[in-house]
Amino acid sequence: MATTRSAHTVWEGSLTEGSGTVTFDSSGIGQQAVSWPSRAEEANGKTSPEELIAAAHSSCFSMALSHGLTGAGTPPTKLVTSADVTFQPGTGITGIHLTVEGEVPGLDEAAFVSAAEDAKANCPVSQALTGTTITLSAKLA
């Protein structure tokens, strides 16, 4: 069964001097402020499209990796994933770097890295972002 998740943004003013609020409609987890300075300079307590992509990518990748490891008979005890999305004003998103550290009993480093590479290539968010260079660092804890 397909699912659809929704969010909306209300933006007021120009790009550089305006600001907006992102509302997470599907989950109801609230609202987050967004502005050009939070995107192109310092976050200062506000989010950005790139931070939202990083959250989506790190969670999707973790789920895909957990699924792959479990399917191979080596379920993880813990996965800690970060996603760093780089934004260059005037150019756009120039890359995403995933970093994962896992606790996976019975699995060696090479098998973990291979499973992580597979998750990087096949998680739905990675697939949606195929126009972006995605790199990975993976290691066992």
Side-chain angles (χ1 to χ4, degrees):
M1 171 185 229
T3 58
T4 301
R5 299 293 182 253
S6 301
H8 75 274
T9 300
V10 175
W11 185 269
E12 296 177 350
S14 69
L15 171 63
T16 57
E17 296 173 12
S19 63
T21 303
V22 178
T23 302
F24 299 90
D25 299 321
S26 299
S27 64
I29 61 172
Q31 300 177 330
Q32 292 295 316
V34 63
S35 68
W36 177 255
S38 71
R39 184 176 196 183
E41 299 166 19
E42 294 297 319
N44 292 321
K46 297 177 182 168
T47 194
S48 68
E50 290 72 29
E51 184 178 37
L52 298 171
I53 290 169
H57 206 175
S58 67
S59 59
C60 182
F61 172 86
S62 293
M63 287 185 229
L65 180 54
S66 177
H67 180 68
L69 291 167
T70 300
T74 53
T77 302
K78 183 177 183 180
L79 299 171
V80 178
T81 305
S82 63
D84 298 309
V85 178
T86 302
F87 174 74
Q88 177 63 49
T91 302
I93 294 173
T94 58
I96 301 171
H97 184 74
L98 298 168
T99 303
V100 62
E101 184 171 282
E103 295 176 14
V104 188
L107 195 67
D108 66 23
E109 191 89 18
F112 181 71
V113 170
S114 178
E117 287 288 349
D118 185 66
K120 177 184 78 118
N122 293 305
C123 92
V125 171
S126 288
Q127 291 181 347
L129 299 171
T130 56
T132 301
T133 300
I134 301 170
T135 57
L136 171 70
S137 298
K139 68 178 183 175
L140 290 172

